[in-house]
Amino acid sequence: MGDVIEMLAAGLPAEALVTDPEVMASYARDMASFSAVGEPLAVVTPRTVEDVQHVMRTATAARVPVVPQGARTGLSGGANAVDGCIVLSLRKMDRIVEIDPVDRIAVVEPGVVNAVLSRAVAEQGLYYPPDPSSWEQCTIGGNIGTGAGGLCCVKYGVTAEYVLGLDVVLVDGRLLSTGRRTAKGVAGYDLTRLFVGSEGTLGVVVKAVVALRPAPPQQLALVAEFPSTAAACAAVCAIMEGGHVPSLLELMDATTIRAVNAMAQMGLPESTEALLLAAFDTPDPAADLAALGELCTAAGATDVVPAQDAAESELLLQARRLSLTALERISTATMIDDVCVPRGRLGEMLDGVAAIAAEYDLTIGVCAHAGDGNTHPVVCFDAHDPDESRRARESFDAIMALGLELGGTITGEHGVGLLKRDWLAQELGPTGLELQRGIKAVFDPLGLLNPGKVF
Ligand SMILES: Cc1cc2nc3c(=O)[nH]c(=O)nc-3n(C[C@H](O)[C@H](O)[C@H](O)COP(=O)(O)OP(=O)(O)OC[C@H]3O[C@@H](n4cnc5c(N)ncnc54)[C@H](O)[C@@H]3O)c2cc1C
C-alpha cells in the first residue's frame, strides 16, 4: 500500500495528502448511527479538478476504493470510509465560480456550503431554494450526492430540480460534462439527473451549474397548536387540497417541541401534541396566512399565532431547523428515519410511528416536512444498552416497512447509504434493482466508487 501513497503523492501538492491516522480518523464517518466505518488508507483534500483526476487514475490503476465526501453531515452512512479506501474530501474545492443573473444560474465547486451560496446569490437579488436544515454546514456536492431536500421544498422542489449541468470526474480519471447552462435542453439521456442522488457511486462531482430564481418577498410564518398529530395532518391535507402554496409547512410533535425547548429555550408551547409551522412568501403573506389559519382551526387547532414580523418568523424556522440536533441530545444515540408518504397518508404514518414506539418501548420523536409527506421519526436510545440498541434498529426498520405499506419511499431526501441498503431491493423490486446495478457497472465496472453504499 506504500506504493499507492507514493503514486498519490507524485501528483498532488503535499498538503492535499493526509496519512496521519488521527487526522484520518476524523474523516471516517458521517452522522449516521449503526453504520460500518472502515479505516482509510489515505485522505485527499484536492483543490483542483486535476488533483481529483490524479486520485481517480491512481485508484483505478491500483484497484483502491474511493469514498467521496462533502461535509459529512449525511444521515445514512453514505460518506463513511471503507477499509483501505482513499477518502476524497471535496470541501476545499469551495469557489463560487460565477453568478449569472441573466441566465439565473450559479456555477460552483462541490465544496461550497449551501448557506454560503444562498447568501451570495441573495446579494444579487437571487434565490437558491434547496435548504436542508444542515445548510450552514452541508456542501452543494453533498446535496447533489444525496438529492437533498429541505424546508422550502414544498413550494420550490428539491436539489434535483435545480441542477442543470455537472462536471464529473469518472472512476478512470476522465472528465465528463453533462447537461447545460441554458434554460432548456433535451440532448440525449439526462445524465445530470442520474448523478443527483447517486451518493458518490457513479463519479465525483467537481463542478455544478445550478438554477436560481428571483428572490421572493420575505416570508411570514405562523404556528398552529394541535391536540393530536392526526389533527395536524388533517390540516396539512386541507391546506394542500385547498390549493394553497405555502413556502414552508413543517410539523413538530410533542417530543420534538420539548427537545428544542430544552436545547435552545425557544419557549414553544409544551402542553400541545403537535405544532404546524407554515409560511408564505407571497405579495400578501398576512392574508394567505389568515386563510391557512382558518383551515387549521377547522381541523382542530387550539391556537393559531401568526408571527409579527420577519424576525419572529425566522425564529420559528430556527426552532424547526434545530429539531434533529435537539432530538439527538435527549439520548446517547439516535437513528433518523426519512420515510416519505403520500400526503393523504401522513396521519396514518404518524399514528403508526407512535404505535411502533409503544411496541418497542422507545422514545421516537417526529419532525416532518409535512407539506411533502416527508417524516423524520428519530429513534432515541441508549447505545450502551445492547437490548435497547437492538430494539432501536428493529423499530427503525419497522418504520420503513410502514412507509412502504402506505405507498411511500424509504428515503425522501437523506439517501440509502449503508443504513437502508437492505430496504432498497424491496422498494425497487428485482427488475428495478437489476437495471440500477447495470447502470452502476457502466460507470464503475471495477466497483471502486463508494463500494457497499446504496446496493
Ligand atoms: C442537523 C441535520 C439536519 C439535516 N437536515 C436535512 C434536511 O432538511 N434535508 C436533507 O435533505 N438532509 C438533511 N440532513 C442530511 C445532510 O445534511 C444532507 O444529506 C446533505 O446533503 C449532506 O451534505 P454533505 O456535504 O454533508 O455530504 P456528505 O455527508 O459528506 O456526503 C453525502 C453523500 O454524497 C456523496 N458526495 C459528497 N460529495 C460528493 C461529490 N462531490 N461528488 C460525488 N458524491 C459526493 C458522499 O459520498 C455521500 O454519499 C441533515 C443533517 C443534519 C446533521
Side-chain angles (χ1 to χ4, degrees):
M1 285 302 163
D3 286 355
V4 180
I5 305 290
E6 277 170 30
M7 286 161 77
L8 285 171
L12 291 171
E15 71 277 7
L17 180 61
V18 178
T19 52
D20 178 317
E22 271 180 36
V23 181
M24 287 201 295
S26 69
Y27 285 86
R29 61 176 307 154
D30 66 14
M31 299 185 75
S33 306
F34 279 125
S35 298
V37 181
E39 273 185 37
L41 170 74
V43 171
V44 178
T45 57
R47 285 192 188 269
T48 66
V49 174
E50 291 71 26
D51 290 349
V52 176
Q53 289 181 293
H54 175 70
V55 170
M56 299 315 295
R57 284 192 199 106
T58 304
T60 289
R63 305 292 194 261
V64 174
V66 175
V67 177
Q69 283 184 352
R72 288 181 287 105
T73 65
L75 295 169
S76 68
N80 283 11
V82 298
D83 278 336
C85 75
I86 300 167
V87 163
L88 188 57
S89 169
L90 283 307
R91 284 175 86 166
K92 288 189 178 162
M93 292 181 70
D94 63 354
R95 284 183 318 131
I96 298 175
V97 180
E98 185 187 345
I99 297 171
D100 180 338
V102 175
D103 280 321
R104 292 185 186 158
I105 55 165
V107 181
V108 297
E109 290 186 336
V112 172
V113 168
N114 181 300
V116 170
L117 176 62
S118 295
R119 285 194 274 268
V121 303
E123 278 172 22
Q124 303 202 25
L126 294 163
Y127 179 41
Y128 179 65
D131 63 340
S133 298
S134 53
W135 72 328
E136 292 285 1
Q137 291 92 38
C138 66
T139 64
I140 298 297
N143 295 168
I144 293 169
T146 57
L151 304 194
C152 71
C153 300
V154 62
K155 176 168 183 180
Y156 292 101
V158 295
T159 298
E161 281 142 87
Y162 291 87
V163 183
L164 300 180
L166 293 172
D167 280 2
V168 180
V169 175
L170 300 175
V171 71
D172 57 10
R174 284 177 296 163
L175 183 63
L176 168 74
S177 285
T178 73
R180 57 195 164 88
R181 54 177 290 152
T182 50
K184 291 172 169 177
V186 290
Y189 295 134
D190 191 347
L191 294 185
T192 308
R193 193 89 177 209
L194 178 62
F195 278 104
V196 179
S198 65
E199 303 189 44
T201 62
L202 299 180
V204 182
V205 173
V206 289
K207 203 193 275 178
V209 182
V210 296
L212 306 173
R213 288 177 170 244
Q218 179 68 52
Q219 65 181 353
L220 206 59
L222 69 64
V223 60
E225 296 178 31
F226 289 88
S228 66
T229 53
C233 294
V236 170
C237 291
I239 292 162
M240 300 315 280
E241 194 178 4
H244 298 274
V245 190
S247 50
L248 174 150
L249 188 53
E250 298 285 318
L251 181 147
M252 296 162 71
D253 76 353
T255 306
T256 309
I257 295 164
R258 282 193 281 274
V260 169
N261 277 345
M263 178 180 159
Q265 292 80 47
M266 301 290 269
L268 299 172
E270 294 202 4
S271 57
T272 191
E273 286 303 311
L275 288 183
L276 265 192
L277 308 182
F280 282 98
D281 58 6
T282 47
D284 190 356
D288 290 320
L289 283 176
L292 185 141
E294 279 172 25
L295 292 175
C296 289
T297 305
T302 50
D303 205 2
V304 176
V305 186
Q308 291 309 306
D309 50 29
E312 220 175 277
S313 298
E314 184 47 40
L315 213 63
L316 286 173
L317 261 66
Q318 189 55 17
R320 169 61 188 89
R321 286 200 187 105
L322 286 176
S323 296
L324 290 183
T325 310
L327 283 164
E328 277 169 357
R329 293 189 173 197
I330 67 177
S331 55
T332 63
T334 53
M335 291 189 81
I336 303 173
D337 253 308
D338 175 36
V339 168
C340 189
V341 294
R343 292 179 192 114
R345 314 293 302 264
L346 196 57
E348 287 168 82
M349 183 69 205
L350 293 198
D351 285 349
V353 170
I356 289 168
E359 183 186 341
Y360 289 90
D361 192 20
L362 290 165
T363 298
I364 304 181
V366 182
C367 52
H369 306 301
D372 299 323
N374 191 180
T375 65
H376 293 315
V378 179
V379 181
C380 306
F381 64 101
D382 180 357
H384 308 299
D385 178 337
D387 184 59
E388 199 165 307
S389 300
R390 175 190 56 76
R391 284 184 277 126
R393 175 73 228 197
E394 286 176 14
S395 69
F396 181 81
D397 288 345
I399 290 167
M400 282 189 283
L402 173 65
L404 290 179
E405 212 177 288
L406 295 175
T409 169
I410 56 167
T411 174
E413 56 182 17
H414 293 168
V416 175
L418 286 168
L419 265 189
K420 295 159 228 160
R421 220 169 38 157
D422 296 341
W423 287 87
L424 186 68
Q426 290 203 39
E427 180 163 336
L428 296 183
T431 308
L433 195 64
E434 189 188 325
L435 284 169
Q436 296 220 7
R437 285 201 168 122
I439 291 169
K440 164 78 174 165
V442 168
F443 282 89
D444 183 20
L446 299 171
L448 298 176
L449 267 166
N450 216 0
K453 313 296 171 61
V454 183
F455 299 112

